[in-house]
Structures are given as C-alpha cells and as structure tokens.
Amino acid sequence: MTLVPPGAVNSDDSDTNCIKRLDEWVRHARRGFARGVCPTCANGLTTQFLDPESTFFPRDDLRSVFVHRSCDHCTDMRYLTVGEILRLRPPVVEFFAKRNRTVQTTPLWDLAFAATDLSTTVRGRNPWAFEVELTAEDDTMRVRLDDNLTLTDIDSE
Ligand SMILES: [Zn+2]
C-alpha cells in the first residue's frame, strides 16, 4: 500500500500531468523500499517477515509472507512481496528482458509473481527462506532467497 501526500493532488482537474507525477512518485517510493533505502529520508530500513495472519490483510489465498520494511529514523514503512523485491534484481531483470518483458517498468499489478505470492513458496521460517518461480514465454526460472533477501540459488529451465 502506498499513500500519496494530499498536497500532491489539486482539487480540480487542472493538472493534466497529475497521474503521471503520482505514478512516478509511487514507483520511486516502492523502489526505495524494495532496495532497502528509505525514499523519504535516505536512511537504511529494518526488514521483518510477517505471516499474513498477523497483518491487517490476512489473504492467505494471495499472500504467504509479507516483507515489512520500516525506517527507524522517519517511521515511513511499506509492506512488500518477495517478488516485488526480486523484480529489481539483475538476474530476474535479465531473464525477463531476454523474453521481451521489461519488469522494472511494468505495473506491479501486471506481474503476478510480484503482485501476489502465488509464485512464492516459504521454504523456512527459522531462518526465513523463500523460493519464487518465474515464468515467461515457455521458460521457468526458480530463485531462492535467504532471510537477508539475498539470492542463494537460481535454476533455469
Ligand atoms: Zn526514513
């Protein structure tokens, strides 16, 4: 979830670039959280993994884990998916680019592996470990991550 500052939107429709500006602002904020840098104050972020049942959005049909990143300096925070973090990682970007998909600029809701956890498997909770299955065209790539969200293994078919 991302909230837009109220001052960014005029009460009338005079700003024809409003949607484009807000889109860029939201992308900037989410990329910062995905990369571990607070987009509000540039400090580092604290990462926690949360079971969906412990959140306000317990959709276990869509979520198997939340990546909660928060800033100890300014208190900004976001809930992310493992896939949302993955879409900025070079091996994943390259996998999709070779199949004519640009995942960095594709809207999040058009990337099932990032918008939901339907492609994500929680492999362990102590410590946390994940596997994400990515598909494009007829190809599949499985990526494993540890509790630092570091890629530990990549299998391609
Ligand atoms: Zn901050």
Side-chain angles (χ1 to χ4, degrees):
M1 175 182 355
T2 298
L3 302 175
V4 175
V9 181
N10 294 333
S11 59
D12 58 26
D13 293 333
S14 63
D15 184 356
T16 57
N17 287 325
C18 182
I19 296 299
K20 186 175 182 176
R21 278 187 305 101
L22 296 178
D23 174 62
E24 188 57 39
W25 185 84
V26 169
R27 286 175 190 270
H28 162 75
R30 295 203 71 91
R31 279 187 199 123
F33 276 97
R35 289 187 169 143
V37 177
C38 179
T40 305
C41 74
N43 276 281
L45 299 169
T46 300
T47 301
Q48 289 183 289
F49 300 105
L50 305 172
D51 282 311
E53 309 84 58
S54 68
T55 69
F56 295 111
F57 3 86
R59 293 281 311 267
D60 60 3
D61 57 328
L62 296 177
R63 300 278 182 245
S64 47
V65 64
F66 279 101
V67 180
H68 181 258
R69 284 196 157 157
S70 59
C71 177
D72 296 337
H73 183 72
C74 76
T75 71
D76 203 352
M77 60 92 174
R78 295 291 189 285
Y79 295 91
L80 304 149
T81 65
V82 174
E84 187 174 0
I85 290 168
L86 265 184
R87 81 170 176 162
L88 301 174
R89 300 289 173 84
V92 173
V93 171
E94 182 182 346
F95 172 79
F96 282 101
K98 285 182 175 176
R99 290 148 186 92
N100 301 313
R101 290 201 68 189
T102 309
V103 290
Q104 310 100 304
T105 56
T106 300
L108 191 62
W109 55 85
D110 285 339
L111 298 170
F113 75 89
T116 72
D117 283 344
L118 297 175
S119 302
T120 300
T121 302
V122 175
R123 296 178 47 83
R125 285 183 160 73
N126 189 20
W128 287 91
F130 312 97
E131 181 173 297
V132 181
E133 184 174 289
L134 307 164
T135 56
E137 297 177 353
D138 292 330
D139 300 319
T140 301
M141 182 166 90
R142 285 181 191 80
V143 179
R144 291 186 179 173
L145 303 97
D146 63 15
D147 60 344
N148 291 314
L149 296 170
T150 300
L151 298 181
T152 59
D153 196 27
I154 299 172
D155 293 325
S156 295
E157 294 175 4

